[in-house]
Amino acid sequence: MWPRSGRWPTNWPPTSRPAGLRALAAFVALRPAADPAAVPLLAVAVRFHFRRAVEDDPRLFQGLAFVQLGASVRRKRTAPPRSRNSCRATWSGSKRGSAS
C-alpha cells in the first residue's frame, strides 16, 4: 500500500519496502559513487532523453517554449516592484541621455 504522499521515504531500509520493488527502489536511488548528494542517475537519464526529444521535435520545442514564456510572465507579474534606479545598474555604467 502506498503512503498518502505517493512516495516512499528514501530513508527507509530496503527490507521495509514492498516485496518485489526492492530492486526497482535500489535502481531509482542510484547516485554517482563520487558524490552521494548528486542527482539520481535515473533523473539524469530522463533529463537527457527529454532534451533530445525536444531538440528533434519542433512542435514539442514550441510547446515547451510557450509554457516557459508563460511561466516567465507569471513570475514577473508576481515579483515585488523594483526600485526606480535598479535598471541603471545593469547598463554597463552608461547614463541616460549621454551620447556614445
Side-chain angles (χ1 to χ4, degrees):
M1 180 171 226
W2 289 100
R4 288 190 185 267
S5 68
R7 297 183 344 192
W8 289 104
T10 56
N11 59 350
W12 280 11
T15 55
S16 65
R17 292 189 174 118
L21 297 180
R22 289 186 189 111
L24 178 62
F27 176 72
V28 169
L30 278 177
R31 296 174 188 271
D35 186 8
V39 176
L41 294 176
L42 182 61
V44 172
V46 168
R47 221 183 271 160
F48 171 79
H49 287 287
F50 182 74
R51 180 177 171 194
R52 294 285 306 261
V54 169
E55 290 172 353
D56 292 342
D57 186 350
R59 289 185 63 199
L60 184 58
F61 172 78
Q62 289 172 349
L64 184 61
F66 183 75
V67 168
Q68 288 179 337
L69 177 64
S72 177
V73 168
R74 281 190 299 280
R75 276 193 309 272
K76 286 186 179 196
R77 285 183 181 162
T78 60
R82 296 173 66 180
S83 69
R84 203 177 137 177
N85 295 326
S86 64
C87 293
R88 289 186 185 168
T90 62
W91 290 97
S92 66
S94 65
K95 293 185 179 180
R96 206 181 226 188
S98 64
S100 321

